[in-house]
Amino acid sequence: MAEKVLMKGNEALAESAMRAGCRFFFGYPITPQTELAAYMSKRMPKVGGTYLQAESEVAAINMVYGAAAAGARVMTSSSSPGVSLKGEGVSYMAGADLPGVIINIQRGGPGLGGIQPSQSDYWQATRALGHGDFHIVVYAPSTVQEMADLAYSAFDVADKYRTPVMILGDGMLGQMMEPVVLPEPIDPATLPEKPWATTGHAHQRPHNVINSLYLTADELEKLNFERYERYAVIERDEQCAETYLTEDADVVVVAFGAASRVARSAVNAARERGVKAGLLRPVTLWPFPKRVLEETIPTAKAYLSVEMNMGQMVDDVRLAVSGRAPVDFYGRTGGVIPTPDEVLERICALSEKVGE
């Protein structure tokens, strides 16, 4: 039986990434994700990897670009303001079709905001992490175990589709400790070769060029079309969500990450009161799990999006529901975490409204 260890979310992300074959980490400290970088600084040299604290977030993401171009499994981590600074580099990675993993342990904003947990970077992660026509795959863990699992599999997804992948957590998940079963380590030498990487060619093949600059409009358009064909495959094959008590739910609560833990407690309390509530928890924020939500449409009378922001994922819920049922929103912001009682009150009020 696999051994369970007690770890912080930030530490589980770091350890799992190394076990996935990540051997390069470039970052810069910022609360509430600094423990991740600190853990990497101690452990990475022991596994033959490279840890480097860059002079800035901008420098860090460009180092990620370089290591990814050379074919390495590479990761960076930050929190909300720092991720904003990385946005240009992430766009360059997307434009050069480079895989890499980016961790965002969110804090309250906008601006410097505060250091308490938040989910207010949903729009940024799923809509506009950088300039241009591109997507990145975005995962939203809700437990320390899931942080470890998703950090491990994110590198495979990044390599498979040659795209940046983000794990969007928050300060609560990054700082909390839970038992976790860590995945088995991978020897990086056993990973599939990347024939496109700039690893040196010994005159055995043509030069590989990694680039995101194309001065001919027709050529750039052709590349964007090709990239969106790949995004269509991701949307088809990589949607992921968890459902809980949704089979007969009148009110389906949609929540991700830390907010989903609160929502689950509220759903259980609603059931005890005789209110048919259920929970849909997106694990992929992009691609948004439309197919799973579609399965709830025949029975759901209303949806409630619960978030730690002013209302961001609710836009995707409304798009997926497409006017077939009312969609309500409840959120707290600035680092305030909603309570189960607050969410329960909204569930019961919504249930009464649709039952009239």
Side-chain angles (χ1 to χ4, degrees), residues 2 8 22 46 109 120 138 144 166 228 236 242 246 249 283 290-291 304 317 345:
K8 271 192 175 186
C22 175
K46 296 179 182 179
S120 55
V138 183
V144 175
M166 173 175 280
Y228 268 73
R236 184 192 69 200
E242 177 194 11
T246 57
V283 177
K290 301 172 187 174
R291 283 197 303 273
L304 174 64
V317 178
E345 183 180 343

Side-chain angles (χ1 to χ4, degrees), residues 7-25 33-44 47 51 74-77 101 103 105 144 146-152 155 167 173-174 180 182-183:
M7 298 188 82
K8 271 192 175 186
N10 285 333
E11 295 171 343
L13 287 167
E15 179 63 35
S16 195
M18 287 183 285
R19 289 174 177 240
C22 175
R23 289 297 179 267
F24 292 87
F25 176 90
Q33 67 78 51
T34 302
E35 291 89 351
L36 194 161
Y39 189 93
M40 279 285 198
S41 72
K42 295 176 183 177
R43 286 279 290 126
M44 190 67 93
V47 298
Y51 166 90
V74 55
M75 185 171 86
T76 187
S77 70
V101 175
I103 309 293
I105 304 299
V144 175
E146 200 169 32
M147 288 178 116
D149 294 342
L150 291 175
Y152 192 77
F155 289 93
I167 296 178
L173 293 171
V180 57
L182 294 167

Side-chain angles (χ1 to χ4, degrees), residues 75-345:
M75 185 171 86
T76 187
S77 70
S78 192
S79 185
S80 306
V83 172
S84 294
L85 290 169
K86 296 177 191 287
E88 180 187 30
V90 176
S91 179
Y92 282 22
M93 288 179 68
D97 296 313
L98 289 176
V101 175
I102 303 139
I103 309 293
N104 182 359
I105 304 299
Q106 301 162 90
R107 56 191 268 176
L112 283 175
I115 62 172
Q116 302 302 319
S118 179
Q119 294 180 328
S120 55
D121 299 349
Y122 180 96
W123 278 337
Q124 180 191 53
T126 61
R127 295 291 193 279
L129 185 53
H131 59 282
D133 284 319
F134 77 96
H135 286 289
I136 64 170
V137 178
V138 183
Y139 290 109
S142 67
T143 65
V144 175
Q145 181 66 63
E146 200 169 32
M147 288 178 116
D149 294 342
L150 291 175
Y152 192 77
S153 61
F155 289 93
D156 289 335
V157 172
D159 285 349
K160 179 179 180 180
Y161 296 104
R162 288 184 62 181
T163 182
V165 173
M166 173 175 280
I167 296 178
L168 191 67
D170 62 72
M172 175 177 156
L173 293 171
Q175 296 293 322
M176 72 187 301
M177 298 184 77
E178 288 183 326
V180 57
V181 176
L182 294 167
E184 288 298 315
I186 292 173
D187 180 354
T190 66
L191 292 168
E193 291 188 12
K194 297 176 179 177
W196 48 264
T198 55
T199 54
H201 59 90
H203 303 290
Q204 301 300 309
R205 59 164 173 78
H207 285 80
N208 283 338
V209 177
I210 300 294
N211 181 41
S212 67
L213 176 65
Y214 297 92
L215 298 178
T216 303
D218 289 344
E219 183 181 10
L220 180 55
E221 182 183 54
K222 178 175 178 289
L223 287 167
N224 281 330
F225 283 158
E226 291 174 354
R227 197 168 291 121
Y228 268 73
E229 290 175 1
R230 200 181 328 141
Y231 294 155
V233 175
I234 294 173
E235 286 198 272
R236 184 192 69 200
D237 294 344
E238 301 297 334
Q239 292 182 32
C240 183
E242 177 194 11
T243 57
Y244 177 67
L245 302 177
T246 57
E247 293 81 5
D248 64 343
D250 293 334
V251 177
V252 174
V253 181
V254 187
F256 69 95
S260 71
R261 298 170 71 113
V262 175
R264 186 183 295 264
S265 295
V267 164
N268 286 333
R271 287 280 176 168
E272 290 175 2
R273 291 192 182 186
V275 176
K276 291 181 179 179
L279 173 66
L280 190 158
R281 179 177 70 87
V283 177
T284 52
L285 302 185
W286 195 88
F288 189 77
K290 301 172 187 174
R291 283 197 303 273
V292 180
L293 188 144
E294 190 71 28
E295 293 170 2
T296 68
I297 290 290
T299 54
K301 297 178 181 177
Y303 292 82
L304 174 64
S305 186
V306 176
E307 308 173 50
M308 289 153 53
N309 57 45
M310 291 296 292
Q312 297 189 14
M313 183 182 67
V314 65
D315 291 345
D316 282 331
V317 178
R318 286 175 175 142
L319 284 170
V321 172
S322 191
R324 289 171 289 181
V327 178
D328 203 355
F329 167 76
Y330 181 72
R332 300 297 300 270
T333 187
V336 178
I337 301 172
T339 68
D341 285 344
E342 292 169 2
V343 178
L344 174 61
E345 183 180 343

